[in-house]
Amino acid sequence: MQHFIVIGNPISHSKSPAIHHAFAQSLGLDIQYNRQFCPDDSDSFRAVVEAFFYGGGVGANVTLPFKEIAFNMCQTHSEHAKTAKAVNTLVMRDGKLFGDNTDGAGLIADLLSHDIDLDGKQVAIIGAGGATRGVILPLIEQGAKLTIFNRTLSKALTLQEDFKAFAQIDIKSLDDLANGHFGFEVLINATSTSTTGQSLNISPNLRANVAYDMMYGKPSAFLTHFTKQGTRLLDGYGMLIHQAKLAFELWTGKQVDLNAVLLDQ
Ligand code: ATR
């Protein structure tokens, strides 16, 4: 039997074990996937990861607040992990710890599964933290033209600088978000406001064909704002499923057919 874990703090709410067990069941694989609580310090995280792989564990997911520590711990990285500077998927390759980041590709896969084409389209992201960093390169790779709105302008400018080799990113303030006239194919909320229960001030003249909240499982003031505009509304549950699918495929080498997977939301 192959062993997997998801490491986080907090971790008791994680849906990853149910998702991965459902993937395994659909393929007739016998796996054990557990939640692993870890104290919030890098030494503890390193100890947990080392003990897990030393004990024969096959793959680990990493969630908040350890994605950056995981990135620093890995000896090799995927291109997406390198640009995200964060890792959500760990595996041993040739005796070296390899880190991938499937969050951004998970978002793309979810959008594509809803027939949302990004090529040449204007896509805006609100927020300039780790969640945003993880999705920038995958969005650029799809041909999206990016705008980032952020409260702290300097953080958005750092992202603009870090990704300038890949594409030019347009930077806007929260004042622009509150008062501007804009139209986007997709507007993504990657701030932590939905988790903290705060709301964003969004201009009535800001239109989007699709509003996407990376958060899931709670009512979203961000999505509610768009209910009367005929905007398509999506929450982050699809992204969660798709990032998990990509991690599972990396670990097992098997393709998951989501149509054959039984999941309760
Ligand atoms: P994560 O790793 O989940 O992205 P983070 O790095 O703490 O978390 O980033 C949170 C993002 O939400 C940031 O862009 C933050 O804005 P700042 O860069 O100005 O800190 C944004 N954010 C959090 N609370 C916000 C609020 N009340 N209004 C607007 N943006 C907010």
Side-chain angles (χ1 to χ4, degrees):
M1 184 192 291
Q2 295 188 313
H3 286 261
F4 304 91
I5 49 173
V6 55
I7 311 165
N9 181 346
I11 199 62
S12 59
H13 65 287
S14 173
K15 291 184 191 289
S16 291
I19 294 169
H20 285 273
H21 281 125
F23 290 168
Q25 198 176 20
S26 74
L27 289 160
L29 297 177
D30 196 14
I31 70 155
Q32 187 69 45
Y33 187 115
N34 296 317
R35 295 184 186 94
Q36 178 64 58
F37 176 84
C38 180
D40 188 3
D41 65 88
S42 55
D43 287 348
S44 300
F45 180 78
R46 282 172 187 274
V48 164
V49 171
E50 278 166 12
F52 174 70
F53 284 108
Y54 190 73
V58 174
N61 277 136
V62 179
T63 188
L64 298 179
F66 300 118
K67 292 183 186 183
E68 282 85 26
I69 300 172
F71 173 80
N72 291 329
M73 190 178 171
C74 287
Q75 290 142 305
T76 55
H77 304 88
S78 70
E79 195 61 24
H80 285 172
K82 271 188 220 160
T83 52
K85 292 188 181 152
V87 156
N88 78 333
T89 304
L90 295 170
V91 67
M92 279 299 208
R93 275 193 177 166
D94 305 323
K96 288 187 176 152
L97 190 63
F98 173 79
D100 197 357
N101 191 318
T102 64
D103 287 332
L107 169 72
I108 302 299
D110 188 33
L111 291 170
L112 294 178
S113 78
H114 288 92
D115 292 324
I116 297 161
D117 177 27
L118 300 167
D119 196 12
K121 301 287 167 54
Q122 296 291 338
V123 173
I125 309 171
I126 313 170
T132 297
R133 183 177 279 281
V135 301
I136 291 179
L137 185 61
L139 284 167
I140 291 171
E141 286 171 346
Q142 291 298 311
K145 302 200 179 320
L146 293 184
T147 299
I148 293 177
F149 292 90
N150 201 47
R151 180 175 61 182
T152 310
L153 225 46
S154 59
K155 275 168 76 179
L157 290 168
T158 301
L159 285 185
Q160 185 185 49
E161 179 67 20
D162 287 355
F163 286 91
K164 73 175 183 206
F166 299 97
Q168 174 64 33
I169 300 173
D170 202 11
I171 302 300
K172 304 240 176 279
S173 67
L174 283 196
D175 191 42
D176 296 322
L177 184 72
N179 301 304
H181 281 63
F182 302 104
F184 297 106
E185 178 62 21
V186 184
L187 176 65
I188 300 166
N189 180 19
T191 67
S192 43
T193 56
S194 299
T195 27
T196 55
Q198 293 166 303
S199 58
L200 294 161
N201 197 358
I202 302 173
S203 163
N205 297 312
L206 195 160
R207 302 283 159 166
N209 288 331
V210 179
Y212 196 108
D213 198 327
M214 282 199 191
M215 223 256 325
Y216 66 90
K218 281 187 188 176
S220 157
F222 169 75
L223 293 181
T224 304
H225 170 87
F226 289 97
T227 43
K228 293 204 181 97
Q229 289 193 16
T231 300
R232 284 179 77 185
L233 309 178
L234 295 171
D235 72 10
Y237 187 68
M239 179 173 169
L240 176 78
I241 301 295
H242 283 280
Q243 64 76 26
K245 174 178 182 298
L246 293 165
F248 190 92
E249 290 173 351
L250 179 81
W251 293 327
T252 64
K254 304 245 189 290
Q255 288 290 118
V256 176
D257 174 6
L258 289 181
N259 293 317
V261 176
L262 295 173
L263 282 166
D264 311 319
Q265 185 163 357

